[in-house]
Amino acid sequence: MEKKAVRKVQTDEDVKRKAVKLVLVHLKKKIESPFQGKESVVEWMDKMDLLLSEEDFVTAEYHQMRKEFNDIIERTLDYEIRSRLRDSWFSLGKALDKKVKRH
């Protein structure tokens, strides 16, 4: 008897979760150097990691986290770091808009 591989049906939430995780990975690389306000970004990323670890993907919670991230960006004094964070903020918005590709 031949076993057929059972493929998990990917949902929009799965795609969004994966995209958000990728944004966080890139964000961690962007903030490796010290800057004033880094603690706030790290704390926000920790909260985001906790949210990603939850089983349910509630889009409203992620949008709230994006608003919180925007507040952190606005309080960041270093122009270069603020620009990097802003790029991640835009990427996070795109990640939350992702959907499963339909054939």
Side-chain angles (χ1 to χ4, degrees):
M1 264 190 342
E2 191 178 311
K3 289 186 178 183
K4 290 186 178 182
V6 178
R7 236 190 205 186
K8 181 181 180 242
V9 176
Q10 200 172 34
T11 65
D12 288 343
E13 287 77 19
D14 294 333
V15 172
K16 290 176 186 184
R17 184 184 309 269
K18 186 174 181 180
V20 168
K21 283 181 181 179
L22 189 59
V23 170
L24 286 180
V25 167
H26 288 282
L27 179 58
K28 285 177 185 175
K29 291 178 184 175
K30 290 179 182 180
I31 65 162
E32 287 178 343
S33 60
F35 62 93
Q36 187 176 1
K38 181 177 180 175
E39 315 78 41
S40 297
V41 177
V42 171
E43 186 178 305
W44 178 85
M45 288 177 26
D46 290 343
K47 286 173 56 178
M48 187 61 102
D49 282 336
L50 283 174
L51 188 58
L52 284 166
S53 68
E54 292 179 5
E55 194 168 320
D56 293 334
F57 189 94
V58 181
T59 307
E61 291 177 0
Y62 286 88
H63 283 289
Q64 180 60 41
M65 287 296 291
R66 187 169 181 246
K67 286 180 185 178
E68 288 179 26
F69 187 41
N70 188 52
D71 291 341
I72 293 168
I73 293 168
E74 293 302 316
R75 291 190 310 264
T76 301
L77 301 176
D78 185 306
Y79 177 78
E80 185 179 326
I81 296 292
R82 191 170 56 238
S83 294
R84 289 182 194 172
L85 296 177
R86 179 72 57 204
D87 288 344
S88 294
W89 183 82
F90 282 119
S91 297
L92 184 57
K94 288 179 184 178
L96 292 173
D97 289 340
K98 290 219 181 254
K99 297 195 184 288
V100 173
K101 291 182 181 177
R102 308 283 182 214
H103 297 290

